[in-house]
Coordinates of all heavy atoms in Angstrom, one line a residue:
M8 N 8.3 -12.6 11.1 CA 8.5 -13.0 9.7 C 7.6 -12.2 8.7 O 8.0 -11.7 7.7 CB 8.3 -14.6 9.5 CG 8.6 -15.0 8.2 SD 10.2 -14.9 7.7 CE 10.2 -15.8 6.2
V9 N 6.3 -12.2 9.1 CA 5.4 -11.4 8.3 C 5.7 -10.0 8.2 O 5.7 -9.3 7.1 CB 3.9 -11.7 8.8 CG1 3.0 -10.7 8.0 CG2 3.5 -13.1 8.6
N10 N 6.1 -9.4 9.3 CA 6.5 -8.0 9.3 C 7.7 -7.7 8.4 O 7.7 -6.7 7.7 CB 6.7 -7.4 10.7 CG 5.4 -7.0 11.4 OD1 4.4 -6.9 10.8 ND2 5.5 -6.7 12.7
K11 N 8.6 -8.7 8.4 CA 9.8 -8.4 7.6 C 9.4 -8.5 6.1 O 10.0 -7.7 5.3 CB 10.8 -9.6 7.9 CG 11.6 -9.3 9.2 CD 12.7 -10.4 9.3 CE 13.4 -10.2 10.6 NZ 14.5 -11.1 10.9
I12 N 8.5 -9.4 5.7 CA 8.1 -9.5 4.4 C 7.2 -8.2 4.0 O 7.5 -7.6 2.9 CB 7.2 -10.8 4.1 CG1 8.0 -12.0 4.3 CG2 6.5 -10.8 2.8 CD1 7.2 -13.3 4.5
L13 N 6.4 -7.8 4.8 CA 5.6 -6.6 4.5 C 6.5 -5.4 4.4 O 6.4 -4.5 3.5 CB 4.6 -6.4 5.5 CG 3.4 -7.3 5.5 CD1 2.5 -7.1 6.8 CD2 2.6 -7.1 4.2
T14 N 7.5 -5.3 5.4 CA 8.4 -4.1 5.4 C 9.2 -4.1 4.0 O 9.3 -3.1 3.4 CB 9.4 -4.2 6.6 OG1 8.5 -4.1 7.7 CG2 10.4 -3.0 6.5
S15 N 9.7 -5.3 3.7 CA 10.5 -5.4 2.4 C 9.6 -5.0 1.2 O 10.1 -4.3 0.3 CB 10.9 -6.8 2.3 OG 11.5 -7.0 1.0
F16 N 8.4 -5.4 1.2 CA 7.4 -5.0 0.1 C 7.2 -3.6 0.0 O 7.4 -3.0 -1.0 CB 6.1 -5.8 0.4 CG 5.0 -5.3 -0.6 CD1 5.0 -5.8 -1.9 CD2 4.1 -4.3 -0.3 CE1 4.1 -5.3 -2.8 CE2 3.1 -3.9 -1.2 CZ 3.1 -4.4 -2.5
F17 N 7.0 -2.9 1.2 CA 6.7 -1.4 1.1 C 8.0 -0.6 0.8 O 7.9 0.4 0.2 CB 6.0 -1.0 2.4 CG 4.5 -1.4 2.4 CD1 4.1 -2.3 3.3 CD2 3.6 -0.8 1.5 CE1 2.7 -2.7 3.3 CE2 2.3 -1.1 1.5 CZ 1.8 -2.1 2.5
V18 N 9.1 -1.1 1.4 CA 10.4 -0.4 1.0 C 10.6 -0.4 -0.5 O 11.1 0.6 -1.0 CB 11.5 -1.1 1.8 CG1 12.9 -0.6 1.3 CG2 11.4 -0.8 3.3
R19 N 10.2 -1.4 -1.1 CA 10.4 -1.5 -2.6 C 9.2 -0.8 -3.3 O 9.4 -0.1 -4.2 CB 10.4 -3.0 -3.0 CG 10.7 -3.3 -4.5 CD 10.8 -4.7 -4.8 NE 10.0 -5.7 -4.0 CZ 8.6 -5.9 -4.3 NH1 8.1 -5.3 -5.3 NH2 8.0 -6.8 -3.5
R20 N 8.0 -1.1 -2.9 CA 6.8 -0.7 -3.6 C 6.6 0.8 -3.6 O 6.2 1.5 -4.6 CB 5.6 -1.4 -3.2 CG 4.4 -1.3 -4.0 CD 4.4 -1.9 -5.3 NE 3.1 -1.9 -6.0 CZ 3.0 -1.9 -7.2 NH1 4.0 -2.1 -8.1 NH2 1.8 -1.8 -7.7
L21 N 6.7 1.4 -2.4 CA 6.3 2.9 -2.3 C 7.2 3.8 -3.2 O 6.7 4.5 -3.9 CB 6.5 3.3 -0.8 CG 5.5 2.8 0.2 CD1 5.8 3.1 1.6 CD2 4.1 3.4 -0.2
P22 N 8.5 3.7 -3.1 CA 9.3 4.5 -4.1 C 9.1 4.1 -5.5 O 9.1 4.9 -6.4 CB 10.8 4.3 -3.6 CG 10.8 3.1 -2.7 CD 9.4 2.9 -2.3
E23 N 8.9 2.8 -5.8 CA 8.7 2.4 -7.2 C 7.5 3.1 -7.8 O 7.6 3.6 -8.9 CB 8.5 0.9 -7.2 CG 8.1 0.3 -8.5 CD 7.8 -1.2 -8.3 OE1 8.8 -2.0 -8.2 OE2 6.6 -1.6 -8.2
I24 N 6.4 3.1 -7.1 CA 5.1 3.7 -7.6 C 5.3 5.3 -7.7 O 5.0 5.9 -8.6 CB 3.9 3.4 -6.8 CG1 3.6 1.9 -7.0 CG2 2.7 4.2 -7.2 CD1 2.5 1.4 -6.1
R25 N 5.9 5.8 -6.6 CA 6.1 7.3 -6.5 C 6.9 7.8 -7.7 O 6.5 8.7 -8.3 CB 6.8 7.6 -5.1 CG 7.0 9.1 -5.0 CD 7.6 9.4 -3.7 NE 8.8 8.7 -3.3 CZ 9.9 9.0 -3.8 NH1 10.1 10.0 -4.7 NH2 11.0 8.3 -3.4
R26 N 8.0 7.1 -7.9 CA 8.9 7.5 -9.1 C 8.2 7.3 -10.4 O 8.4 8.2 -11.3 CB 10.2 6.7 -9.0 CG 11.1 7.1 -7.8 CD 12.4 6.3 -7.7 NE 13.1 6.7 -6.5 CZ 13.6 5.8 -5.7 NH1 13.4 4.5 -5.9 NH2 14.2 6.2 -4.6
S27 N 7.5 6.2 -10.6 CA 6.9 6.0 -11.9 C 5.8 7.0 -12.1 O 5.5 7.3 -13.3 CB 6.2 4.6 -11.9 OG 5.1 4.5 -11.1
K28 N 5.2 7.6 -11.1 CA 4.2 8.6 -11.2 C 4.8 10.0 -11.2 O 4.1 11.1 -11.5 CB 3.2 8.5 -10.1 CG 2.4 7.2 -10.0 CD 1.4 7.1 -11.2 CE 0.6 5.8 -11.0 NZ -0.3 5.6 -12.0
G29 N 6.2 10.2 -11.1 CA 6.8 11.4 -11.1 C 6.4 12.4 -9.9 O 6.3 13.6 -10.0
V30 N 6.2 11.8 -8.7 CA 5.7 12.5 -7.6 C 6.9 12.5 -6.5 O 7.6 11.5 -6.3 CB 4.6 11.7 -6.9 CG1 4.0 12.5 -5.7 CG2 3.4 11.7 -7.9
T31 N 7.1 13.6 -5.8 CA 8.1 13.7 -4.8 C 7.5 13.2 -3.5 O 6.3 13.0 -3.3 CB 8.4 15.1 -4.5 OG1 7.4 15.9 -4.0 CG2 9.0 15.9 -5.8
R32 N 8.4 12.9 -2.6 CA 8.0 12.4 -1.2 C 7.1 13.4 -0.6 O 6.1 13.1 0.0 CB 9.2 12.0 -0.4 CG 10.0 10.9 -0.9 CD 11.2 10.5 -0.2 NE 11.7 11.4 0.9 CZ 12.5 12.4 0.8 NH1 13.1 12.7 -0.4 NH2 12.9 13.1 1.9
K33 N 7.5 14.7 -0.7 CA 6.7 15.8 -0.1 C 5.3 15.8 -0.7 O 4.3 16.0 0.1 CB 7.5 17.1 -0.3 CG 6.9 18.2 0.5 CD 7.8 19.5 0.3 CE 7.3 20.6 1.2 NZ 8.1 21.8 1.2
E34 N 5.2 15.7 -1.9 CA 3.8 15.6 -2.6 C 2.9 14.5 -2.2 O 1.8 14.8 -1.9 CB 4.0 15.6 -4.2 CG 4.5 16.9 -4.8 CD 4.9 16.8 -6.2 OE1 5.3 15.6 -6.6 OE2 4.9 17.8 -6.9
I35 N 3.5 13.4 -2.1 CA 2.7 12.2 -1.6 C 2.3 12.4 -0.2 O 1.1 12.1 0.2 CB 3.3 10.9 -1.9 CG1 2.4 9.7 -1.5 CG2 4.6 10.7 -1.2 CD1 1.2 9.5 -2.2
A36 N 3.2 12.8 0.7 CA 2.9 13.1 2.1 C 1.7 14.1 2.2 O 0.8 13.8 2.9 CB 4.1 13.5 2.8
K37 N 1.8 15.2 1.5 CA 0.8 16.2 1.6 C -0.5 15.6 1.0 O -1.6 15.8 1.7 CB 1.2 17.4 0.8 CG 0.2 18.6 0.9 CD 0.7 19.7 0.2 CE -0.4 20.9 0.2 NZ 0.0 22.1 -0.4
G38 N -0.4 14.9 -0.2 CA -1.7 14.4 -0.7 C -2.4 13.3 0.1 O -3.6 13.2 0.0
V39 N -1.6 12.6 0.9 CA -2.1 11.6 1.8 C -2.5 12.1 3.2 O -3.3 11.5 3.9 CB -1.2 10.4 1.9 CG1 -1.6 9.4 2.9 CG2 -0.9 9.7 0.6
G40 N -2.1 13.3 3.4 CA -2.5 14.0 4.7 C -1.6 13.6 5.9 O -2.1 13.4 7.0
I41 N -0.3 13.3 5.6 CA 0.7 12.9 6.7 C 1.8 13.8 6.6 O 2.1 14.5 5.6 CB 1.0 11.3 6.6 CG1 1.7 11.2 5.2 CG2 -0.1 10.5 6.8 CD1 2.4 9.9 5.1
T42 N 2.7 13.7 7.5 CA 4.0 14.4 7.5 C 4.9 13.7 6.6 O 4.9 12.5 6.4 CB 4.6 14.5 8.9 OG1 5.0 13.3 9.4 CG2 3.7 15.2 10.0
L43 N 5.9 14.5 6.2 CA 7.0 14.0 5.3 C 7.8 12.9 6.1 O 8.2 11.9 5.6 CB 7.9 15.1 4.8 CG 9.1 14.7 4.0 CD1 8.7 13.8 2.8 CD2 9.9 15.9 3.6
G44 N 8.0 13.3 7.4 CA 8.7 12.3 8.3 C 8.1 11.0 8.3 O 8.8 10.0 8.3
K45 N 6.7 11.0 8.4 CA 6.0 9.7 8.5 C 6.1 8.9 7.2 O 6.5 7.8 7.2 CB 4.6 9.9 8.8 CG 3.8 8.6 9.1 CD 2.3 9.0 9.5 CE 1.6 7.7 9.8 NZ 0.2 8.0 10.4
Y46 N 6.0 9.6 6.1 CA 6.2 9.0 4.8 C 7.5 8.5 4.7 O 7.8 7.3 4.3 CB 5.8 9.9 3.6 CG 5.9 9.2 2.3 CD1 4.8 8.4 1.9 CD2 7.0 9.2 1.6 CE1 4.9 7.7 0.8 CE2 7.2 8.5 0.4 CZ 6.1 7.7 0.0 OH 6.3 7.0 -1.2
D47 N 8.6 9.2 5.1 CA 9.9 8.8 5.0 C 10.2 7.5 5.8 O 11.0 6.6 5.4 CB 10.9 9.9 5.4 CG 11.1 10.9 4.4 OD1 10.7 10.8 3.2 OD2 11.6 12.0 4.7
K48 N 9.5 7.4 6.9 CA 9.6 6.2 7.8 C 9.0 5.0 7.1 O 9.5 3.8 7.1 CB 9.0 6.4 9.1 CG 9.8 7.3 10.0 CD 9.1 7.4 11.4 CE 9.8 8.4 12.3 NZ 9.2 8.7 13.5
W49 N 7.9 5.2 6.2 CA 7.4 4.1 5.5 C 8.4 3.6 4.4 O 8.6 2.4 4.3 CB 6.1 4.5 4.8 CG 4.9 4.8 5.7 CD1 4.7 4.4 7.0 CD2 3.7 5.4 5.3 NE1 3.5 4.9 7.5 CE2 2.9 5.5 6.5 CE3 3.3 6.0 4.2 CZ2 1.6 6.1 6.5 CZ3 2.0 6.6 4.1 CH2 1.2 6.6 5.3
E50 N 8.9 4.6 3.6 CA 9.8 4.2 2.5 C 11.1 3.6 3.2 O 11.7 2.7 2.5 CB 10.2 5.5 1.7 CG 9.2 5.7 0.6 CD 9.8 6.5 -0.6 OE1 11.0 6.8 -0.7 OE2 8.9 6.9 -1.4
A51 N 11.5 4.0 4.3 CA 12.8 3.4 4.9 C 12.5 2.1 5.6 O 13.4 1.5 6.0 CB 13.4 4.4 5.9
G52 N 11.3 1.7 5.7 CA 10.9 0.5 6.5 C 10.9 0.6 7.9 O 10.9 -0.5 8.6
K53 N 10.9 1.7 8.5 CA 11.0 1.8 10.0 C 9.5 1.7 10.6 O 9.4 1.3 11.7 CB 11.5 3.3 10.4 CG 13.0 3.4 10.0 CD 13.5 4.7 10.3 CE 15.0 4.9 10.0 NZ 15.5 6.2 10.2
V54 N 8.5 2.0 9.7 CA 7.2 1.9 10.2 C 6.3 1.4 9.0 O 6.5 1.9 7.9 CB 6.5 3.2 10.7 CG1 5.1 3.1 11.1 CG2 7.4 3.8 11.8
L55 N 5.4 0.5 9.3 CA 4.4 0.0 8.2 C 3.3 0.9 8.2 O 2.7 1.3 9.2 CB 4.0 -1.4 8.5 CG 5.0 -2.5 8.3 CD1 4.5 -3.8 8.8 CD2 5.4 -2.6 6.8
P56 N 2.8 1.3 7.0 CA 1.5 2.0 6.8 C 0.4 1.2 7.3 O 0.3 0.0 7.1 CB 1.4 2.4 5.4 CG 2.4 1.5 4.6 CD 3.3 1.0 5.6
K57 N -0.6 1.8 7.9 CA -1.8 1.1 8.3 C -2.7 0.9 7.2 O -2.5 1.5 6.2 CB -2.6 1.9 9.4 CG -1.8 2.1 10.7 CD -2.5 3.0 11.7 CE -1.6 3.2 12.9 NZ -2.3 4.1 13.9
S58 N -3.7 0.1 7.3 CA -4.6 -0.2 6.2 C -5.3 1.0 5.6 O -5.4 1.2 4.4 CB -5.6 -1.3 6.5 OG -6.5 -0.9 7.6
E59 N -5.7 1.9 6.5 CA -6.4 3.2 6.0 C -5.3 4.1 5.3 O -5.7 4.8 4.3 CB -7.1 3.9 7.1 CG -6.2 4.2 8.4 CD -6.3 3.1 9.5 OE1 -6.8 2.0 9.3 OE2 -5.7 3.4 10.6
D60 N -4.1 4.0 5.7 CA -3.0 4.8 5.0 C -2.8 4.2 3.6 O -2.7 5.0 2.6 CB -1.7 4.7 5.8 CG -1.7 5.3 7.1 OD1 -2.5 6.4 7.3 OD2 -1.1 4.8 8.1
I61 N -2.9 2.8 3.6 CA -2.7 2.2 2.2 C -3.8 2.6 1.3 O -3.6 2.9 0.1 CB -2.6 0.7 2.4 CG1 -1.4 0.3 3.1 CG2 -2.7 0.0 1.0 CD1 -1.3 -1.1 3.6
A62 N -5.0 2.7 1.8 CA -6.2 3.1 1.0 C -6.0 4.5 0.6 O -6.3 4.9 -0.6 CB -7.5 2.9 1.8
R63 N -5.5 5.4 1.4 CA -5.3 6.8 1.0 C -4.2 6.9 -0.1 O -4.3 7.8 -0.9 CB -5.0 7.7 2.3 CG -6.3 7.8 3.1 CD -6.1 9.0 4.1 NE -4.8 9.1 4.8 CZ -4.5 8.8 6.0 NH1 -5.5 8.2 6.7 NH2 -3.4 9.0 6.5
I64 N -3.2 6.2 0.1 CA -2.1 6.2 -0.9 C -2.6 5.8 -2.2 O -2.4 6.4 -3.3 CB -0.9 5.3 -0.5 CG1 -0.2 5.8 0.8 CG2 0.1 5.2 -1.6 CD1 0.8 4.8 1.4
A65 N -3.4 4.6 -2.3 CA -3.9 4.1 -3.5 C -4.9 5.2 -4.1 O -4.8 5.5 -5.3 CB -4.7 2.8 -3.2
S66 N -5.7 5.8 -3.3 CA -6.6 6.9 -3.8 C -5.8 8.0 -4.3 O -6.2 8.5 -5.4 CB -7.5 7.3 -2.7 OG -8.4 8.3 -3.1
F67 N -4.7 8.4 -3.7 CA -3.9 9.5 -4.2 C -3.5 9.3 -5.6 O -3.4 10.1 -6.4 CB -2.8 9.8 -3.3 CG -1.7 10.8 -3.8 CD1 -2.0 12.1 -3.5 CD2 -0.6 10.4 -4.4 CE1 -1.0 13.1 -4.0 CE2 0.3 11.4 -5.0 CZ 0.1 12.7 -4.7
Y68 N -3.0 8.0 -5.8 CA -2.5 7.6 -7.1 C -3.7 7.1 -8.1 O -3.4 6.8 -9.2 CB -1.5 6.4 -7.0 CG -0.2 6.8 -6.4 CD1 0.3 6.2 -5.3 CD2 0.6 7.9 -7.0 CE1 1.5 6.6 -4.7 CE2 1.8 8.3 -6.4 CZ 2.3 7.6 -5.4 OH 3.5 8.0 -4.8
K69 N -4.8 7.3 -7.6 CA -6.1 6.9 -8.5 C -5.9 5.4 -8.9 O -6.1 5.0 -10.1 CB -6.1 7.8 -9.7 CG -6.5 9.3 -9.3 CD -6.6 10.2 -10.5 CE -7.0 11.6 -10.1 NZ -6.6 12.2 -8.9
M70 N -5.6 4.6 -7.9 CA -5.4 3.2 -8.1 C -6.3 2.5 -7.1 O -6.7 3.0 -6.0 CB -4.0 2.7 -7.8 CG -2.9 3.4 -8.5 SD -1.3 2.9 -7.9 CE -0.9 1.5 -8.8
S71 N -6.7 1.3 -7.4 CA -7.4 0.4 -6.4 C -6.3 0.0 -5.4 O -5.1 -0.1 -5.7 CB -8.1 -0.8 -7.0 OG -7.1 -1.7 -7.5
V72 N -6.7 -0.5 -4.2 CA -5.8 -1.0 -3.3 C -5.1 -2.2 -3.8 O -3.9 -2.5 -3.7 CB -6.5 -1.3 -1.9 CG1 -5.5 -2.1 -1.0 CG2 -6.9 0.0 -1.2
D73 N -5.9 -3.1 -4.5 CA -5.3 -4.3 -5.2 C -4.3 -3.9 -6.2 O -3.2 -4.5 -6.2 CB -6.4 -5.0 -5.9 CG -7.4 -5.7 -5.0 OD1 -7.1 -5.8 -3.7 OD2 -8.3 -6.3 -5.4
E74 N -4.4 -2.8 -7.0 CA -3.4 -2.4 -7.9 C -2.2 -1.9 -7.2 O -1.0 -2.3 -7.5 CB -3.9 -1.3 -8.8 CG -4.9 -1.6 -9.9 CD -5.4 -0.4 -10.6 OE1 -6.2 0.4 -10.0 OE2 -5.1 -0.2 -11.8
F75 N -2.4 -1.2 -6.1 CA -1.3 -0.6 -5.4 C -0.5 -1.8 -4.8 O 0.7 -1.7 -4.7 CB -1.8 0.3 -4.3 CG -0.7 0.8 -3.3 CD1 0.2 1.7 -3.7 CD2 -0.6 0.1 -2.1 CE1 1.2 2.0 -2.9 CE2 0.4 0.5 -1.2 CZ 1.3 1.4 -1.6
L76 N -1.1 -2.8 -4.4 CA -0.5 -3.9 -3.7 C 0.1 -4.8 -4.7 O 0.9 -5.8 -4.4 CB -1.4 -4.7 -2.8 CG -1.9 -4.0 -1.6 CD1 -2.9 -4.8 -0.8 CD2 -0.7 -3.6 -0.7
G77 N -0.1 -4.5 -6.1 CA 0.4 -5.4 -7.1 C -0.2 -6.7 -7.4 O 0.4 -7.6 -7.9
L78 N -1.5 -6.8 -6.9 CA -2.2 -8.0 -7.1 C -2.8 -8.2 -8.5 O -3.3 -7.2 -9.1 CB -3.4 -8.1 -6.1 CG -3.1 -8.2 -4.6 CD1 -4.3 -8.1 -3.8 CD2 -2.3 -9.4 -4.3
T79 N -2.7 -9.4 -9.1 CA -3.3 -9.6 -10.4 C -4.9 -9.7 -10.1 O -5.3 -9.8 -9.0 CB -2.8 -10.8 -11.0 OG1 -3.2 -11.9 -10.2 CG2 -1.2 -10.9 -11.2
E80 N -5.6 -9.6 -11.2 CA -7.0 -9.8 -11.2 C -7.4 -11.1 -10.6 O -8.3 -11.3 -9.8 CB -7.7 -9.6 -12.5 CG -7.8 -8.2 -13.0 CD -8.5 -8.0 -14.3 OE1 -9.5 -8.7 -14.5 OE2 -8.0 -7.1 -15.1
E81 N -6.6 -12.2 -10.9 CA -6.9 -13.6 -10.4 C -6.6 -13.7 -8.9 O -7.4 -14.2 -8.2 CB -6.0 -14.6 -11.2 CG -6.3 -14.7 -12.6 CD -5.7 -13.7 -13.5 OE1 -4.7 -13.0 -13.1 OE2 -6.2 -13.4 -14.7
E82 N -5.5 -13.0 -8.4 CA -5.2 -13.0 -7.1 C -6.3 -12.2 -6.3 O -6.7 -12.7 -5.2 CB -3.9 -12.4 -6.8 CG -2.7 -13.2 -7.3 CD -1.4 -12.5 -7.3 OE1 -1.4 -11.2 -7.5 OE2 -0.4 -13.1 -7.1
S83 N -6.7 -11.1 -6.8 CA -7.7 -10.3 -6.1 C -9.0 -11.1 -6.0 O -9.7 -11.1 -5.0 CB -7.9 -9.0 -6.9 OG -8.9 -8.2 -6.3
E84 N -9.4 -11.7 -7.0 CA -10.7 -12.5 -7.1 C -10.5 -13.7 -6.1 O -11.5 -14.0 -5.4 CB -10.9 -13.0 -8.5 CG -12.3 -13.6 -8.6 CD -13.4 -12.7 -8.2 OE1 -13.4 -11.5 -8.5 OE2 -14.5 -13.2 -7.6
A85 N -9.4 -14.3 -6.1 CA -9.3 -15.4 -5.2 C -9.4 -15.0 -3.7 O -10.0 -15.7 -2.8 CB -7.8 -16.1 -5.4
I86 N -8.8 -13.9 -3.4 CA -8.9 -13.4 -2.1 C -10.4 -13.0 -1.7 O -10.8 -13.4 -0.6 CB -8.0 -12.1 -1.8 CG1 -6.5 -12.5 -1.9 CG2 -8.3 -11.3 -0.5 CD1 -5.6 -11.3 -2.0
K87 N -11.1 -12.4 -2.6 CA -12.5 -12.1 -2.4 C -13.3 -13.3 -2.2 O -14.2 -13.4 -1.3 CB -13.1 -11.3 -3.6 CG -12.5 -9.8 -3.6 CD -12.9 -9.1 -4.8 CE -12.2 -7.7 -4.8 NZ -12.5 -7.0 -6.1
Q88 N -13.1 -14.4 -3.0 CA -13.8 -15.7 -2.9 C -13.5 -16.3 -1.5 O -14.4 -16.7 -0.8 CB -13.4 -16.6 -3.9 CG -14.0 -16.2 -5.3 CD -13.6 -17.2 -6.4 OE1 -12.9 -18.1 -6.2 NE2 -14.1 -16.9 -7.6
K89 N -12.2 -16.2 -1.1 CA -11.9 -16.8 0.2 C -12.6 -16.0 1.3 O -13.0 -16.6 2.4 CB -10.4 -16.9 0.4 CG -9.7 -18.0 -0.4 CD -8.2 -18.1 -0.2 CE -7.6 -19.1 -1.0 NZ -6.2 -19.3 -0.8
S90 N -12.6 -14.7 1.2 CA -13.3 -13.9 2.2 C -14.7 -14.2 2.3 O -15.3 -14.4 3.4 CB -13.0 -12.5 1.8 OG -13.7 -11.7 2.8
A91 N -15.4 -14.4 1.1 CA -16.8 -14.7 1.1 C -17.1 -16.1 1.7 O -18.2 -16.2 2.3 CB -17.4 -14.6 -0.4
Q92 N -16.2 -17.0 1.5 CA -16.3 -18.4 2.1 C -16.0 -18.4 3.5 O -16.2 -19.5 4.2 CB -15.5 -19.3 1.3 CG -15.8 -19.5 -0.2 CD -14.7 -20.3 -0.9 OE1 -13.7 -20.6 -0.4 NE2 -15.0 -20.5 -2.2
G93 N -15.5 -17.3 4.1 CA -15.1 -17.3 5.5 C -13.7 -17.9 5.7 O -13.3 -18.2 7.0
T94 N -13.0 -18.1 4.7 CA -11.6 -18.7 4.9 C -10.7 -17.6 5.4 O -9.7 -17.9 6.1 CB -11.0 -19.3 3.6 OG1 -12.0 -20.1 3.0 CG2 -9.8 -20.0 3.7
I95 N -11.0 -16.3 5.1 CA -10.2 -15.2 5.5 C -11.0 -14.5 6.6 O -12.2 -14.3 6.3 CB -9.8 -14.2 4.4 CG1 -8.9 -14.9 3.4 CG2 -9.1 -13.0 4.9 CD1 -8.6 -14.1 2.1
P96 N -10.5 -14.1 7.7 CA -11.3 -13.4 8.7 C -12.0 -12.2 8.2 O -11.4 -11.4 7.4 CB -10.4 -13.2 9.9 CG -9.2 -14.0 9.6 CD -9.2 -14.3 8.1
S97 N -13.2 -12.0 8.6 CA -13.9 -10.7 8.1 C -13.2 -9.5 8.6 O -12.6 -9.6 9.6 CB -15.4 -10.7 8.6 OG -15.3 -10.6 10.1
G98 N -13.1 -8.5 7.7 CA -12.4 -7.3 8.0 C -11.0 -7.3 7.5 O -10.4 -6.3 7.4
A99 N -10.4 -8.5 7.2 CA -9.1 -8.6 6.7 C -9.1 -8.1 5.2 O -8.1 -7.6 4.8 CB -8.6 -10.0 6.7
V100 N -10.2 -8.1 4.5 CA -10.3 -7.7 3.2 C -11.5 -6.7 3.0 O -12.5 -7.1 3.3 CB -10.5 -8.8 2.2 CG1 -10.6 -8.3 0.7 CG2 -9.3 -9.9 2.2
R101 N -11.1 -5.5 2.5 CA -12.2 -4.5 2.4 C -12.6 -4.5 0.9 O -11.8 -4.5 0.0 CB -11.8 -3.1 2.9 CG -11.5 -3.1 4.3 CD -11.1 -1.7 4.7 NE -10.8 -1.7 6.2 CZ -10.4 -0.8 6.7 NH1 -10.3 0.4 6.2 NH2 -10.1 -0.9 8.1
R102 N -13.8 -4.4 0.7 CA -14.3 -4.4 -0.7 C -14.8 -3.0 -1.0 O -15.2 -2.2 -0.4 CB -15.5 -5.3 -0.9 CG -15.1 -6.8 -0.5 CD -16.3 -7.6 -0.7 NE -15.9 -8.9 0.0 CZ -16.6 -9.9 -0.1 NH1 -17.7 -9.9 -0.8 NH2 -16.3 -11.0 0.5

């Protein structure tokens, strides 16, 4: 269930941001340091990007990971507080 939700999110979010920034699939793949085929699999929902891939994509677009994921400031802060309280397993949220 979680994978379906994440896949749906990335299938929508990756091309949405890419198009809004006027970047081609080839440019983002090169900028992130992956093959075009791998990027295409992310956009098609065949493979989910790993956390380090998400960080590199956000960096490419000069966005925070939270911005890339579409989190509001309130959501981001709530996650950080839960992480600090130990409600979220350590390593699940990088600061």
Side-chain angles (χ1 to χ4, degrees):
M8 178 69 170
V9 172
N10 274 351
K11 285 184 181 182
I12 293 168
L13 288 173
T14 299
S15 174
F16 172 80
F17 284 109
V18 164
R19 180 177 36 83
R20 188 74 173 153
L21 288 170
E23 174 184 281
I24 293 174
R25 182 177 54 76
R26 290 180 186 129
S27 75
K28 301 289 186 179
V30 177
T31 66
R32 295 179 352 269
K33 190 174 184 176
E34 290 169 329
I35 182 66
K37 183 177 179 181
V39 174
I41 60 169
T42 66
L43 177 58
K45 184 172 185 176
Y46 183 81
D47 284 343
K48 287 179 183 178
W49 292 346
E50 275 203 9
K53 293 180 181 176
V54 177
L55 287 173
K57 296 178 182 176
S58 58
E59 53 270 10
D60 296 324
I61 294 167
R63 289 197 320 257
I64 295 167
S66 178
F67 174 84
Y68 288 124
K69 296 180 179 27
M70 306 169 89
S71 70
V72 171
D73 290 351
E74 285 176 293
F75 173 75
L76 295 176
L78 297 175
T79 65
E80 287 184 37
E81 294 81 18
E82 291 168 328
S83 179
E84 189 57 37
I86 290 169
K87 289 175 185 173
Q88 286 178 359
K89 287 181 180 183
S90 178
Q92 295 168 355
T94 310
I95 298 175
S97 63
V100 177
R101 294 184 184 177
R102 299 176 197 192

